Amino acid sequence: MRDREDKEVTAFVRARYGSLLRTAFLLCGDRGKAEDLVQTTLAKTVVAWSRLERAEGVDRYVQRILVNTFVTWRRRRSWWEQPLGRLVERQARDEYVGVEQRDLLRRALEGLPVRQRAAVVLRFYEDLSEQDTAHVLGCSVGTVKSLSSRGLQTLRKQWAEADCVADQEVRYV
């Protein structure tokens, strides 16, 4: 019995680790913290494995644990370091614009409140429905709509501001 569970857990981790790591990275914006978040999530999953339904129950459970663990960690002051100042770096436009845009998106996501960030990542990165997102976040569908709408509005505003700054830098270089 235990060998079968070990094989199931191993197969699940191999199949979902990359996706969980990407989601965790989008939530916390740091690869090391994302790895810690996924490791903690999977440890909690292994403990509960025998109780989980095997159909879609495991994926939704793991996503919920991932988001809940992230929210809990963010509430701790010591987990999130705050820089004292910000260095301004100029970057020339080149063929790596996609990298810059992904970094800009990551930074913009970091600026969102925790629940808005979780809603945006689950809805538009993980491509969950509003109902599934509500289940993972433990809230109503209306709350998911509100969180997603506010989060997208903030991201659009930050994106527009970043484009204006980038245009000004190009003019003065």
Side-chain angles (χ1 to χ4, degrees):
M1 179 74 170
R2 185 71 184 154
D3 285 339
R4 187 180 59 135
E5 281 186 10
D6 288 346
K7 289 178 183 178
E8 288 176 358
V9 170
T10 301
F12 176 80
V13 170
R14 284 188 178 144
R16 297 286 292 145
Y17 184 81
S19 175
L20 291 170
L21 185 59
R22 284 187 297 273
T23 301
F25 179 78
L26 288 172
L27 289 171
C28 62
D30 178 88
R31 176 144 178 118
K33 290 177 182 168
E35 289 171 349
D36 291 345
L37 181 58
V38 171
Q39 182 177 2
T40 301
T41 299
L42 291 174
K44 291 177 180 181
T45 302
V46 168
V47 169
W49 189 262
S50 61
R51 298 187 320 253
L52 299 176
E53 296 175 22
R54 297 299 191 266
E56 280 195 33
V58 176
D59 283 333
R60 295 297 170 246
Y61 176 83
V62 172
Q63 287 172 334
R64 186 170 191 159
I65 294 302
L66 183 76
V67 170
N68 288 346
T69 303
F70 169 69
V71 170
T72 300
W73 283 5
R74 279 299 304 251
R75 288 181 183 143
R76 293 183 199 155
R77 288 184 171 271
S78 63
W79 184 76
W80 202 255
E81 296 175 3
Q82 296 295 325
L84 297 176
R86 181 175 172 172
L87 296 175
V88 178
E89 296 180 18
R90 289 191 184 195
Q91 296 178 354
R93 299 252 180 190
D94 58 17
E95 65 272 5
Y96 296 105
V97 171
V99 173
E100 291 173 5
Q101 290 176 341
R102 285 190 300 275
D103 185 56
L104 178 63
L105 178 60
R106 181 189 56 78
R107 289 179 192 201
L109 282 170
E110 287 177 358
L112 292 178
V114 175
R115 287 179 50 85
Q116 282 182 16
R117 184 185 322 178
V120 169
V121 168
L122 291 172
R123 282 284 293 128
F124 303 105
Y125 181 77
E126 285 294 319
D127 200 27
L128 295 184
S129 68
E130 290 169 343
Q131 187 174 9
D132 288 342
T133 302
H135 179 73
V136 170
L137 293 177
C139 63
S140 70
V141 172
T143 301
V144 169
K145 289 179 182 182
S146 176
L147 290 170
S148 299
S149 174
R150 287 186 201 134
L152 288 175
Q153 183 179 10
T154 302
L155 290 175
R156 286 183 187 117
K157 181 180 175 186
Q158 289 177 351
W159 195 268
E161 289 171 0
D163 278 347
C164 289
V165 169
D167 288 343
Q168 289 173 357
E169 286 179 1
V170 168
R171 284 187 212 136
Y172 295 111
V173 170

